[in-house]
Amino acid sequence: MRRLFPVTDQTATRASDGGGGDVGAGGVGETPGASGAPGAPGAGPNDREWSLAELAAAYAYPESVTDPGGAPVPWLRANMVSTLDGAAQHDGKSQPISTAADMRIFGTLRGLADVVVVGAETVRQEGYRPARARAEFAEAREAAGQPPAPAIAIVSASLDLDFSLPLFTSPLTPTLILTGAAAAPDRVATAEKAGARVVVAGDGVGVEPARAVRALADLGFTRLLTEGGPRLLGQLVAAGVLDELCLTVSPMLTAGDAQRIAGGPSVAVPQRFALVSLLEEEGFLFGRYQRT
């Protein structure tokens, strides 16, 4: 893996020397590897697999802040993959357009998050399981006051879910369900009996994205990660609550009629995001874009 952006004088020098432009795996705006330490990203001309610690540094959440009233301000990032022709899935799943490096980043983003927000349809299609604890992130999570693994928060109006799945029967951190106040009482009762925590985040049947983000923050979940699907991401974009998009561009073409990474109604004015980091491995591009 190599870093293509941000560009520094060292990047340009390495590129002109045939080094591939790798300047390290540190946070945005840093110049890691400048010391030339053996094994450090940027220390040599050849690409190599970055460690999870290096990826964690590259994808670190911004420092926590509070609003004028003293409430913690959440940060919501999305992690999605898209082919060159805009497909977010192939045969209904994202795995066929992914790669090993993409999955390492997927695991890293989960390792950093307090909670993973996902749509009910994606849970059904992708066969979601509970997030697992990973030894590589244990010390950092403990120091940050996080549980061993992030919670999974499912956005569902109908609560039409299989509560016999491990997502409900054996999570390390109890699974949450975000729904509306008008959700069917019997389904709410079934969910709670299965061990899920039901969080009301809307006055009607469905969930209001801004209320969902605020409700999670009020529960202490401020490092938010959503993995879609496209309909949920579209709702978050339309509501203006998405702070960051981590987008993998897969060097594949699928044609067909697969969904894009975000669906639903269009926004009145296109939202502008700024590129803050770009990595590359085997033709896959891994970008971080933040709201301007």
Side-chain angles (χ1 to χ4, degrees):
M1 182 169 286
R2 57 184 178 141
R3 182 182 293 280
L4 303 180
F5 185 84
V7 176
T8 67
D9 291 342
Q10 189 180 37
T11 312
T13 299
R14 293 191 185 282
S16 64
D17 290 342
D22 182 357
V23 299
V28 173
E30 298 178 359
T31 314
S35 63
N46 297 321
D47 291 345
R48 64 175 180 81
E49 181 177 305
W50 285 12
S51 70
L52 293 180
E54 291 166 332
L55 288 174
Y59 284 90
Y61 277 86
E63 291 294 327
S64 299
V65 296
T66 56
D67 64 21
V73 176
W75 183 269
L76 174 61
R77 65 167 35 148
N79 181 35
M80 300 294 283
V81 60
S82 171
T83 63
L84 296 176
D85 53 346
Q89 304 163 340
H90 184 65
D91 287 339
K93 294 187 177 182
S94 58
Q95 188 276 333
I97 61 173
S98 182
T99 185
D102 186 40
M103 296 310 298
R104 291 200 306 273
I105 292 173
F106 174 92
T108 298
L109 295 180
R110 282 196 165 195
L112 297 172
D114 295 333
V115 62
V116 178
V117 185
V118 62
E121 185 60 26
T122 297
V123 168
R124 290 187 284 263
Q125 286 188 353
E126 300 278 357
Y128 257 60
R129 299 183 63 84
R132 60 188 179 92
R134 304 187 66 171
E136 298 90 344
F137 297 103
E139 185 176 349
R141 292 188 67 86
E142 183 177 5
Q146 296 173 300
I152 304 294
I154 305 168
V155 177
S156 178
S158 68
L159 282 77
D160 181 17
L161 300 160
D162 183 353
F163 294 110
S164 68
L165 294 176
L167 190 57
F168 302 101
T169 61
S170 57
L172 284 174
T173 306
T175 295
L176 298 91
I177 300 178
L178 298 164
T179 193
D186 61 324
R187 297 303 295 171
V188 171
T190 300
E192 292 177 336
K193 185 178 180 180
R197 181 172 185 175
V198 178
V199 179
V200 174
D203 292 330
V205 175
V207 169
E208 300 166 21
R211 284 187 58 177
V213 170
R214 184 69 260 164
L216 291 171
D218 289 343
L219 293 174
F221 302 116
T222 57
R223 304 174 187 90
L224 312 181
L225 170 66
T226 181
E227 297 167 353
R231 183 167 60 180
L232 174 60
L233 181 57
Q235 293 170 349
L236 298 172
V237 170
V241 297
L242 187 70
D243 298 296
E244 178 179 337
L245 174 63
C246 299
L247 178 64
T248 296
V249 178
S250 169
M252 300 180 186
L253 295 168
T254 64
D257 56 0
Q259 290 178 295
R260 300 184 304 152
I261 65 168
S266 63
V267 297
V269 178
Q271 297 178 16
R272 182 68 180 266
F273 278 57
L275 176 67
V276 295
S277 175
L278 184 64
L279 310 177
E280 184 272 340
E281 183 172 305
E282 296 182 344
F284 284 79
L285 297 175
F286 308 96
R288 285 183 68 189
Y289 298 83
Q290 292 179 2
R291 183 166 49 182
T292 57

